Amino acid sequence: MTDLTRYPELVIRQQVEQLEIFTPFETANRYSVHTSDGAQLMYAYEESGGLSRQFAASHRALSIHVVDGNNAPVLQASRDFFWFRSHLRVDADGRRLGALNRIFGLGRKFALLDANGGEITRITSGLFRPHTFIAKSAGGTEIARVTKQWSGFGREMFTDADTFVVQFTDGSADNDFRLLMLASAFAIDLDFFENQS
């Protein structure tokens, strides 16, 4: 398994799909995952039905597969079709890592759950910082954050290809938590930024 405990920050870049630039056709998402100095660590790709991408949009059933440079599986995040509240299950090494449940309320929120369904933390975005999602400890200290970065006028205007940075502000966070935070970046993109262009 890929050890993320060595990296204080991960950069996730969604790949630009040429078909999406010139047509309203939604293609399967693809992402590359890099270290802060630009070295590529992993690659992620979406598996979903073509019709569901067009008609169910960001509510579609899908799986995100993350593989390392040798094409070995790192994690899989999947969800079923939903009407109101998304639920992303996260697995790695043949075991359940946890899940992300969307929470309704003011702002944008997820509950980050462990393998047994217990809440680890909440990931929230404030009203005045809609592109920053912060995970805090039980004591209220920030332990990680996911931030959507400005990708440039062309990418922002003509595509839905986004860039996210996952920062681990608590250096003691274990590998399972870091993998869950990586999966949360995909959930944030799918739930809040998928159909913005």
Side-chain angles (χ1 to χ4, degrees):
M1 174 186 283
T2 302
D3 181 14
L4 299 182
T5 59
R6 299 179 292 151
Y7 307 107
E9 185 174 282
L10 298 172
V11 179
I12 298 115
R13 292 190 182 102
Q14 188 173 6
Q15 306 301 299
V16 174
E17 299 293 342
Q18 299 301 319
L19 189 60
E20 289 185 8
I21 295 174
F22 301 108
T23 70
F25 189 77
E26 181 69 33
T27 60
N29 291 313
R30 295 180 301 130
Y31 306 87
S32 56
V33 181
H34 304 261
T35 63
S36 56
D37 60 4
Q40 185 168 340
L41 288 177
M42 296 169 275
Y43 177 76
Y45 61 93
E46 174 187 342
E47 184 180 8
S48 62
L51 287 177
S52 68
R53 285 195 302 274
Q54 306 324 304
F55 298 109
S58 64
H59 295 263
R60 67 189 177 271
L62 57 79
S63 291
I64 300 284
H65 301 274
V66 181
V67 296
D68 65 16
N70 297 318
N71 213 30
V74 175
L75 71 82
Q76 178 179 329
S78 58
R79 71 178 188 197
D80 300 322
F81 171 81
F82 66 95
W83 287 106
F84 300 109
R85 197 176 71 143
S86 66
H87 174 82
L88 190 72
R89 297 172 301 279
V90 184
D91 300 305
D93 286 338
R95 64 185 174 94
R96 176 66 37 96
L97 277 184
L100 284 111
N101 282 349
R102 175 99 177 264
I103 299 170
F104 283 119
L106 291 177
R108 301 167 168 181
K109 302 175 187 176
F110 286 100
L112 185 64
L113 309 176
D114 63 20
N116 299 316
E119 188 171 306
I120 299 170
T121 186
R122 291 201 173 183
I123 302 170
T124 61
S125 174
L127 190 60
F128 299 108
R129 297 179 75 185
H131 293 120
T132 302
F133 296 77
I134 296 174
K136 294 183 178 180
S137 69
T141 305
E142 181 180 321
I143 51 178
R145 70 171 48 201
V146 178
T147 307
K148 180 189 179 298
Q149 301 290 299
W150 172 255
S151 299
F153 180 76
R155 277 176 77 107
E156 295 284 341
M157 182 62 103
F158 299 109
T159 75
D160 61 5
D162 297 310
T163 300
F164 295 88
V165 176
V166 181
Q167 295 170 299
F168 303 103
T169 48
D170 178 358
S172 66
D174 66 17
N175 200 55
D176 284 359
F177 177 78
R178 290 168 188 256
L179 287 168
L180 287 169
M181 286 303 299
L182 173 62
S184 75
F186 301 129
I188 288 165
D189 181 40
L190 292 164
D191 277 21
F192 302 120
F193 301 106
E194 174 76 7
N195 298 312
Q196 295 258 325
S197 66

mmCIF file of all heavy atoms in Angstrom, residues 53 70 78 83 97 118 127 141 144:
data_model
loop_
_atom_site.group_PDB
_atom_site.id
_atom_site.type_symbol
_atom_site.label_atom_id
_atom_site.label_comp_id
_atom_site.label_asym_id
_atom_site.label_seq_id
_atom_site.Cartn_x
_atom_site.Cartn_y
_atom_site.Cartn_z
ATOM 1 N N ARG A 53 -23.923 9.442 -16.494
ATOM 2 C CA ARG A 53 -23.159 10.705 -16.455
ATOM 3 C C ARG A 53 -23.948 11.829 -17.103
ATOM 4 O O ARG A 53 -23.882 12.973 -16.674
ATOM 5 C CB ARG A 53 -21.805 10.532 -17.150
ATOM 6 C CG ARG A 53 -20.800 9.756 -16.336
ATOM 7 C CD ARG A 53 -19.398 9.908 -16.884
ATOM 8 N NE ARG A 53 -19.258 9.486 -18.269
ATOM 9 C CZ ARG A 53 -19.016 8.234 -18.656
ATOM 10 N NH1 ARG A 53 -18.890 7.282 -17.756
ATOM 11 N NH2 ARG A 53 -18.895 7.939 -19.929
ATOM 12 N N ASN A 70 2.848 1.839 -10.396
ATOM 13 C CA ASN A 70 2.963 0.480 -10.941
ATOM 14 C C ASN A 70 1.598 -0.117 -11.267
ATOM 15 O O ASN A 70 1.491 -1.322 -11.483
ATOM 16 C CB ASN A 70 3.694 -0.424 -9.945
ATOM 17 C CG ASN A 70 5.108 0.050 -9.713
ATOM 18 O OD1 ASN A 70 5.810 0.431 -10.645
ATOM 19 N ND2 ASN A 70 5.530 0.037 -8.454
ATOM 20 N N SER A 78 -16.615 4.316 -3.793
ATOM 21 C CA SER A 78 -17.798 4.057 -4.616
ATOM 22 C C SER A 78 -19.061 4.547 -3.915
ATOM 23 O O SER A 78 -19.098 4.683 -2.691
ATOM 24 C CB SER A 78 -17.910 2.566 -4.932
ATOM 25 O OG SER A 78 -17.983 1.817 -3.739
ATOM 26 N N TRP A 83 -30.580 10.713 -4.330
ATOM 27 C CA TRP A 83 -31.414 11.885 -4.610
ATOM 28 C C TRP A 83 -30.916 13.107 -3.858
ATOM 29 O O TRP A 83 -30.772 14.174 -4.420
ATOM 30 C CB TRP A 83 -32.870 11.622 -4.227
ATOM 31 C CG TRP A 83 -33.586 10.693 -5.161
ATOM 32 C CD1 TRP A 83 -33.920 9.401 -4.919
ATOM 33 C CD2 TRP A 83 -34.034 10.986 -6.483
ATOM 34 N NE1 TRP A 83 -34.554 8.860 -6.009
ATOM 35 C CE2 TRP A 83 -34.638 9.819 -6.989
ATOM 36 C CE3 TRP A 83 -33.983 12.117 -7.302
ATOM 37 C CZ2 TRP A 83 -35.199 9.752 -8.267
ATOM 38 C CZ3 TRP A 83 -34.535 12.049 -8.559
ATOM 39 C CH2 TRP A 83 -35.128 10.888 -9.032
ATOM 40 N N LEU A 97 -12.196 1.054 4.683
ATOM 41 C CA LEU A 97 -11.493 2.102 5.434
ATOM 42 C C LEU A 97 -12.480 2.983 6.177
ATOM 43 O O LEU A 97 -12.224 3.416 7.290
ATOM 44 C CB LEU A 97 -10.678 2.990 4.500
ATOM 45 C CG LEU A 97 -9.308 2.535 4.060
ATOM 46 C CD1 LEU A 97 -8.660 3.623 3.224
ATOM 47 C CD2 LEU A 97 -8.439 2.174 5.223
ATOM 48 N N GLY A 118 -18.453 4.726 12.850
ATOM 49 C CA GLY A 118 -18.309 5.772 13.858
ATOM 50 C C GLY A 118 -17.730 7.038 13.250
ATOM 51 O O GLY A 118 -16.883 6.974 12.356
ATOM 52 N N LEU A 127 -19.367 29.558 5.066
ATOM 53 C CA LEU A 127 -20.109 30.376 4.124
ATOM 54 C C LEU A 127 -19.206 31.343 3.365
ATOM 55 O O LEU A 127 -19.405 31.606 2.185
ATOM 56 C CB LEU A 127 -21.200 31.150 4.887
ATOM 57 C CG LEU A 127 -22.236 31.874 4.067
ATOM 58 C CD1 LEU A 127 -22.998 30.901 3.177
ATOM 59 C CD2 LEU A 127 -23.195 32.625 4.969
ATOM 60 N N THR A 141 -9.137 21.463 17.006
ATOM 61 C CA THR A 141 -7.901 21.793 16.307
ATOM 62 C C THR A 141 -7.963 21.261 14.872
ATOM 63 O O THR A 141 -8.372 20.119 14.653
ATOM 64 C CB THR A 141 -6.685 21.162 17.023
ATOM 65 O OG1 THR A 141 -6.694 21.581 18.379
ATOM 66 C CG2 THR A 141 -5.388 21.573 16.362
ATOM 67 N N ALA A 144 -6.677 18.564 9.107
ATOM 68 C CA ALA A 144 -6.473 18.463 7.659
ATOM 69 C C ALA A 144 -7.416 19.429 6.964
ATOM 70 O O ALA A 144 -8.395 19.891 7.553
ATOM 71 C CB ALA A 144 -6.713 17.036 7.177
#
